Amino acid sequence: MRILIIGNVVKDVYLNLDEKQNKFETDEKGTPWLDLGFNETNHSYFSRTSVFGGAAVTLDIFKKFGLNASISGYDDDKIIKTYRYILSANDHISYFTPTERTETKFTAPNEPVDWIFVDRSAEVTEALVKDIKNYLWLSSRTKLVVFVSAEDNFETRSATMKLTKLANIVFTDSEIEFKDTDAVVCRILENEIRCGDFIRRYRMQKTALMTHLTVYSIIASTIFGAILRGMSTLDAINIAIINVENSKITGSPSLSNLMKKLEERKDSDENLRLLTKTILVPGKGILAADESGGSIHKKFVEAGIPDDAKHRRDYRNLFFTTQGIEKFISGIILFDETARQKSDDGRDFVSYLTSLGIVPGIKVDQGLEPFADPKYSKENYTKGLEGLPERLIEYYDMGARFAKWRAAFDVKVANVGSGKAVKIKTPSDYAIKKNCEILAQYARDCQNAGIVPIVEPEVVYDSYYSIETSAEITGKVLDMLFEELKHYDVNIEGCILKTSMVLAGKKYEKQSTPEEVGEYTAKVLKEHCPKELAGIVFLSGGQSVEQATANLQAVTNNGPFPWIVTFSFARALQAPTLEAWKGDNNNAKDAKDAFYNRLVANCQALNKNDLS
Ligand code: 5MM
């Protein structure tokens, strides 16, 4: 299989200014400066990490796939025509090209080629279109791939569009419509790849310092190279995502590494599925003991308990050391601080819980933040994605095997009781989509790290709305969530949903009976959750202790379900303990008894019959 690449080649000279901090001098105004050693004739730099950009990235990737490729008009050894200097400092990149760009030319290959690949870096002219057309006319077996860039100027665009009419495959980083072509169109957008019927999202780590230009070239050439190697479109997209997510400005992984990671992803699907069986055990539940600093502070202040690390540890220790909890609980969600604290016997809590046969989980979101867009600034998204892959590796090493991320949707409705149709003001479609996308990115990161994600889109049980509205919003949120999880290629069998029950808002005059909650909740979950999902756990969301248990019972009465259905309460399991403890360890026995009683009551409410 021979490929002729048409495009420009630049030599990217990468300078990491952060590494040169100590070489900076300061002028009289105190501004730091560094002599990079350039002059008008010499574009070299004394110490540099260099990679090739433009068509050379494409060439490099094709070669990795063992394809016989060359760049039109370039001798492999004398590839350098243009320099581009990429300067990075404080995660910010700027780049400049001190040499003139060369014209993209078509040079007929010595031997016939199977494919012509017009790279993103090509500056397509009418003359080039003519040359390619002539070649295709003479060599009927040759097929064409064209990359249409959103950044092309008018001339280049109109010339490139002529090529798309002859193309078999079109890659583009734009939303342009392509008419009069039978080509398969593959769009590579900022964080999303759309090829034929497949949509997959990807995300670049800021630390990779890649420019979008390089990212798009890597993705297009990897997809194409993988397809030529006989991989399915989906595998080709997945390997392109693995490639780009693991590439750095200084290079990308070898093919064997890529294949290994693709295989690992498939193997890890099975591991994750098995892991969910240890986290979710029929008849047992999950304790959410993951209140963040702010939430535990509020609880302690209300209860008159000093909020310091010792009291927080002692409080969590009450739950973890209650005799026999392992009969009722299969997993506990911890907050970062607790995961690093020690139990009474000197072991860290994570090892201690593991020794009881309880799987330790970890809350990894970093709380809510209002949207920056003024139109949605009254709604929130959940932050914490930055640096998440690194944190997950650490948590895995510490022993955590599942994680949790909470998105919260406050409900605001209009027209209730007015005879007109109820209008849902919040959550807006925007807030639902953004949060579900973030939840899916988090879930993908977790699965990459071998950690089972719990996705928690909470419809906040507060304010004034009916159970019908609650059902409508919950259904809408779940639909969007599962769509986004699919887009990020999250393995649903290795993923747990933590959801609110469906019930009228706390301030609504007609509070929902347990029968209604059971019926509505079961109906919404059955209609909106895929059967393959590993399990569904409930949050208590500010329901009273008894209310949460009665409602849980009512839900399980509406089983069987295709998933394990259980509780993952925080407040509804812990409130009586906090009340009994009062911050004084002399009350530990009463506090532990109170917890034990809640565990017994909630496990009884599971009916143990929730698997069909
Ligand atoms: C324990 O609370 C969890 C963390 O909340 P913050 O981020 O506000 O500190 C929370 O996600 C919790 O796991 C769920 O909301 C379920 O708790 P409830 O009390 O609703 O059962």
Side-chain angles (χ1 to χ4, degrees):
M1 191 75 70
R2 295 181 62 84
I3 311 167
L4 182 71
I5 304 166
I6 310 226
N8 283 331
V9 172
V10 290
K11 175 109 172 151
D12 280 338
V13 181
Y14 172 60
L15 304 174
N16 184 349
L17 297 184
D18 291 331
E19 283 171 8
K20 312 249 172 275
Q21 289 290 0
N22 56 359
K23 299 216 168 86
F24 276 81
E25 306 209 20
T26 314
D27 69 11
E28 61 284 358
K29 285 187 190 143
T31 312
W33 64 275
L34 175 71
D35 184 358
L36 293 176
F38 300 121
N39 62 39
E40 279 167 23
T41 51
N42 170 18
H43 300 298
S44 67
Y45 181 66
F46 57 90
S47 154
R48 65 194 192 194
T49 317
S50 304
V51 286
F52 290 110
V57 170
T58 302
L59 177 69
D60 183 47
I61 288 171
F62 287 170
K63 284 192 169 167
K64 261 184 208 171
F65 278 95
L67 301 166
N68 188 346
S70 58
I71 303 174
S72 168
Y74 285 90
D75 183 336
D76 268 13
D77 301 328
K78 296 187 193 133
I79 212 161
I80 313 159
K81 293 278 165 90
T82 309
Y83 281 98
R84 180 169 67 167
Y85 291 92
I86 303 175
L87 308 181
S88 88
N90 294 330
D91 283 358
H92 178 79
I93 285 196
S94 50
Y95 51 103
F96 68 95
T97 311
T99 37
E100 282 298 307
R101 291 196 69 162
T102 46
E103 198 187 333
T104 310
K105 279 199 181 127
F106 179 81
T107 309
N110 298 333
E111 286 179 60
V113 293
D114 301 281
W115 287 92
I116 293 178
F117 188 99
V118 180
D119 188 63
R120 196 183 179 286
S121 60
E123 278 168 23
V124 182
T125 58
E126 293 295 337
L128 185 82
V129 173
K130 209 169 137 206
D131 286 346
I132 293 177
K133 268 187 176 172
N134 281 342
Y135 185 83
L136 292 175
W137 189 75
L138 287 170
S139 171
S140 58
R141 75 163 212 220
T142 307
K143 295 184 197 150
L144 180 65
V145 184
V146 181
F147 198 120
V148 181
S149 163
E151 288 170 13
D152 283 343
N153 60 29
F154 181 75
E155 285 80 23
T156 315
R157 168 67 57 80
S158 61
T160 315
M161 289 305 270
K162 287 181 185 156
L163 286 181
T164 62
K165 298 191 173 141
L166 308 168
N168 301 77
I169 302 176
V170 171
F171 285 102
T172 183
D173 52 10
S174 74
E175 294 282 11
I176 308 168
E177 283 298 318
F178 297 97
K179 291 177 189 139
D180 309 325
T181 178
D182 296 330
V184 172
V185 177
C186 185
R187 294 184 200 276
I188 303 167
L189 306 170
E190 212 180 306
N191 64 351
E192 178 177 291
I193 301 170
R194 285 189 232 146
C195 265
D197 292 337
F198 297 104
I199 301 182
R200 280 289 176 275
R201 303 217 209 280
Y202 65 97
R203 79 188 188 99
M204 287 299 305
Q205 284 301 309
K206 254 187 159 185
T207 44
L209 294 173
M210 309 264 284
T211 67
H212 63 292
L213 309 172
T214 318
V215 166
Y216 298 157
S217 293
I218 292 175
I219 293 175
S221 46
T222 310
I223 290 177
F224 184 65
I227 284 173
L228 287 199
R229 282 287 297 247
M231 291 172 78
S232 68
T233 311
L234 190 56
D235 273 354
I237 298 173
N238 283 337
I239 205 161
I241 292 175
I242 292 171
N243 197 8
V244 81
E245 287 180 347
N246 289 281
S247 287
K248 295 211 165 53
I249 203 159
T250 45
S252 56
S254 65
L255 181 63
S256 58
N257 257 333
L258 291 178
M259 296 304 280
K260 209 171 117 207
K261 281 185 191 285
L262 188 69
E263 283 316 308
E264 274 170 11
R265 214 182 239 205
K266 288 180 185 165
D267 282 354
S268 87
D269 280 355
E270 182 55 12
N271 286 340
L272 289 164
R273 206 180 59 77
L274 294 174
L275 206 47
T276 62
K277 309 271 175 230
T278 63
I279 302 163
L280 295 176
V281 176
K284 296 188 188 183
I286 290 178
L287 167 67
D290 60 321
E291 296 87 347
S292 53
S295 303
I296 198 88
H297 179 76
K298 215 169 131 217
K299 275 190 183 181
F300 276 16
V301 167
E302 275 168 17
I305 299 167
D307 179 27
D308 53 39
K310 182 194 172 296
H311 281 86
R312 289 193 293 269
R313 190 216 76 95
D314 287 357
Y315 177 56
R316 264 69 186 245
N317 191 56
L318 288 173
F319 299 109
F320 306 164
T321 57
T322 296
Q323 277 294 312
I325 52 166
E326 64 277 14
K327 287 186 286 179
F328 307 99
I329 287 180
S330 45
I332 297 187
I333 318 170
L334 305 168
F335 184 57
D336 179 271
E337 179 190 63
T338 319
R340 297 172 197 280
Q341 285 175 327
K342 293 203 181 336
S343 82
D344 287 341
D345 66 6
R347 276 183 291 175
D348 57 75
F349 278 138
V350 173
S351 320
Y352 167 77
L353 292 173
T354 309
S355 74
L356 289 182
I358 293 175
V359 186
I362 185 88
K363 168 198 175 74
V364 295
D365 69 68
Q366 293 177 330
L368 307 179
E369 182 87 6
F371 283 111
D373 186 334
K375 219 171 134 200
Y376 302 103
S377 59
K378 290 206 169 73
E379 295 181 272
N380 297 314
Y381 71 95
T382 308
K383 44 181 191 169
L385 281 182
E386 213 176 309
L388 180 59
E390 290 77 16
R391 286 196 285 134
L392 288 167
I393 291 170
E394 191 196 353
Y395 288 136
Y396 187 94
D397 287 345
M398 284 165 71
R401 288 295 177 268
F402 71 101
K404 199 207 75 182
W405 184 287
R406 172 179 176 258
F409 299 105
D410 287 326
V411 181
K412 218 167 156 195
V413 291
N415 298 344
V416 186
S418 67
K420 292 190 219 154
V422 172
K423 188 173 169 358
I424 296 167
K425 293 182 135 185
T426 73
S428 63
D429 290 351
Y430 176 86
I432 294 176
K433 176 144 178 40
K434 287 285 172 204
N435 274 295
C436 289
E437 198 178 322
I438 294 170
L439 275 165
Q441 291 181 335
Y442 138 81
R444 181 69 260 155
D445 285 352
C446 284
Q447 294 194 338
N448 285 349
I451 286 181
V452 171
I454 294 190
V455 286
E456 181 184 2
E458 176 175 356
V459 176
V460 178
Y461 167 54
D462 209 350
S463 74
Y464 188 81
Y465 56 89
S466 65
I467 191 167
E468 288 79 14
T469 304
S470 170
E472 186 182 340
I473 295 171
T474 309
K476 203 166 160 187
V477 166
L478 291 175
D479 286 349
M480 182 56 76
L481 177 66
F482 290 112
E483 192 180 319
E484 287 301 329
L485 290 173
K486 186 171 168 217
H487 286 165
Y488 278 93
D489 204 23
V490 172
N491 169 21
I492 292 297
E493 290 179 66
C495 180
I496 297 168
L497 170 72
K498 177 161 175 169
T499 180
S500 6
M501 296 179 192
V502 176
L503 73 176
K506 214 181 234 169
K507 299 197 177 115
Y508 195 65
E509 64 266 11
K510 191 181 165 301
Q511 285 295 292
S512 314
T513 62
E515 289 68 31
E516 287 168 333
V517 177
E519 216 174 281
Y520 273 84
T521 305
K523 186 170 184 299
V524 167
L525 296 180
K526 283 178 181 167
E527 284 175 3
H528 298 273
C529 298
K531 288 192 174 56
E532 298 73 31
L533 187 66
I536 297 180
V537 298
F538 290 106
L539 56 96
S540 56
Q543 298 180 50
S544 74
V545 166
E546 287 77 18
Q547 188 190 4
T549 310
N551 285 339
L552 178 68
Q553 175 75 70
V555 174
T556 61
N557 286 348
N558 280 273
F561 300 103
W563 334 269
I564 285 199
V565 169
T566 187
F567 59 88
S568 170
F569 299 154
R571 284 164 283 184
L573 282 176
Q574 301 183 110
T577 302
L578 184 65
E579 218 173 285
W581 179 52
K582 299 186 182 71
D584 181 351
N585 288 339
N586 289 321
N587 300 327
K589 185 179 176 309
D590 288 350
K592 289 182 180 188
D593 285 351
F595 179 48
Y596 194 88
N597 291 340
R598 286 331 305 155
L599 291 178
V600 172
N602 284 297
C603 284
Q604 274 169 359
L606 294 178
N607 287 356
K608 275 202 184 176
N609 68 348
D610 45 15
L611 277 178
S612 56

